[in-house]
Amino acid sequence: MTALLILGSGGHGKVVAETAIATGQFQTIGWLDDAPSQSTVLGFPVLGAIAKFQDTDLQQRYPQAIVAIGNPKLRLQWLRQLQVQGYKIPTLVHPQSVVSPSATLGLGSVVFAQAAINAEAHLGMGCIVNTGATVDHDCQLGAGVHCCPGSHLAGEVQVGERSWIGIGAAVIQQISIGSDVTIGAGATVIRNLPDGVTAVGVPARVLSPVSPC
């Protein structure tokens, strides 16, 4: 067992921390946050602002680090800076999830309880597969993709970097979704979507070319 440094102590960070503890690999958590709401979170200390990860003494105490920030652009930015700093970046998989042995998960990705990732799916760096979400066989998720709770990707779906699949959304098989796309809650995607759009409804329709960032 070792210590894990988590950048971001908000609600998402709490789930990341409890997932880390549940894996049995980590016993101690330390938080970094630029605007913490309290001095301890889940009984673990907030150690300072995010930039403090560059402190070599802190790195010796917390050799592994992960980013728990919802904004995908910032999440990837900080993950890459942690890599440059020399931290070991774990991939966290809750023991109550199911991940195929042929699936691949990028560094800094998290898979929460009751999620499922099936055969030969591939997730890039810093992805989130949230509670009860499913990623079916041969899906390809770019870096920073977030599959929100209860969302479902059918087989061979491709999702570009930093895209957001909203809570309860569904994507039928062999669909291609661009980068920086937002899929609204409960939407059903039955057509390919280009970069930078927001799509909502059943079936999903494009509202406007905006980024989730």
Side-chain angles (χ1 to χ4, degrees):
M1 291 189 181
T2 186
L4 177 66
L5 189 66
I6 300 180
L7 278 60
S9 64
H12 176 57
K14 293 176 185 178
V15 186
V16 170
E18 291 191 342
T19 297
I21 297 297
T23 67
Q25 301 175 56
F26 301 97
Q27 191 173 34
T28 301
I29 302 293
W31 307 96
L32 295 181
D33 198 307
D34 289 341
S37 60
Q38 48 196 334
S39 59
T40 63
V41 178
L42 298 178
F44 299 110
V46 178
L47 304 169
I50 286 177
K52 192 176 179 181
F53 77 86
Q54 300 173 82
D55 187 318
T56 55
D57 291 336
L58 184 67
Q59 187 172 354
Q60 289 179 352
R61 292 163 52 200
Y62 295 89
Q64 297 196 50
I66 196 166
V67 181
I69 295 173
N71 183 304
K73 185 175 180 180
L74 289 177
R75 185 164 68 253
L76 293 175
Q77 173 187 317
W78 287 116
L79 279 171
R80 288 165 180 147
Q81 291 195 40
L82 289 172
Q83 275 190 308
V84 171
Q85 188 70 18
Y87 284 90
K88 181 178 179 182
I89 300 175
T91 297
L92 301 178
V93 177
H94 197 285
Q96 294 180 11
S97 65
V98 177
V99 177
S100 166
S102 63
T104 57
L105 309 179
L107 293 177
S109 290
V110 292
V111 181
F112 292 157
Q114 310 304 320
I117 299 175
N118 287 332
E120 296 195 343
H122 174 76
L123 280 64
M125 171 184 275
C127 288
I128 302 169
V129 181
N130 220 311
T131 309
T134 62
V135 178
D136 212 340
H137 65 87
D138 300 296
C139 285
Q140 303 286 318
L141 277 59
V145 169
H146 185 172
C147 296
C148 291
S151 61
H152 302 290
L153 305 183
E156 300 181 40
V157 169
Q158 298 186 31
V159 184
E161 294 186 352
R162 301 174 301 277
S163 287
W164 182 286
I165 313 299
I167 189 167
V171 182
I172 69 168
Q173 66 276 6
Q174 299 180 332
I175 289 294
S176 177
I177 294 172
S179 298
D180 300 308
V181 170
T182 298
I183 307 299
T188 299
V189 181
I190 63 172
R191 298 182 182 86
N192 294 342
L193 294 172
D195 294 346
V197 300
T198 294
V200 300
V202 181
R205 66 190 187 281
V206 172
L207 287 183
S208 58
V210 297
S211 164
C213 300

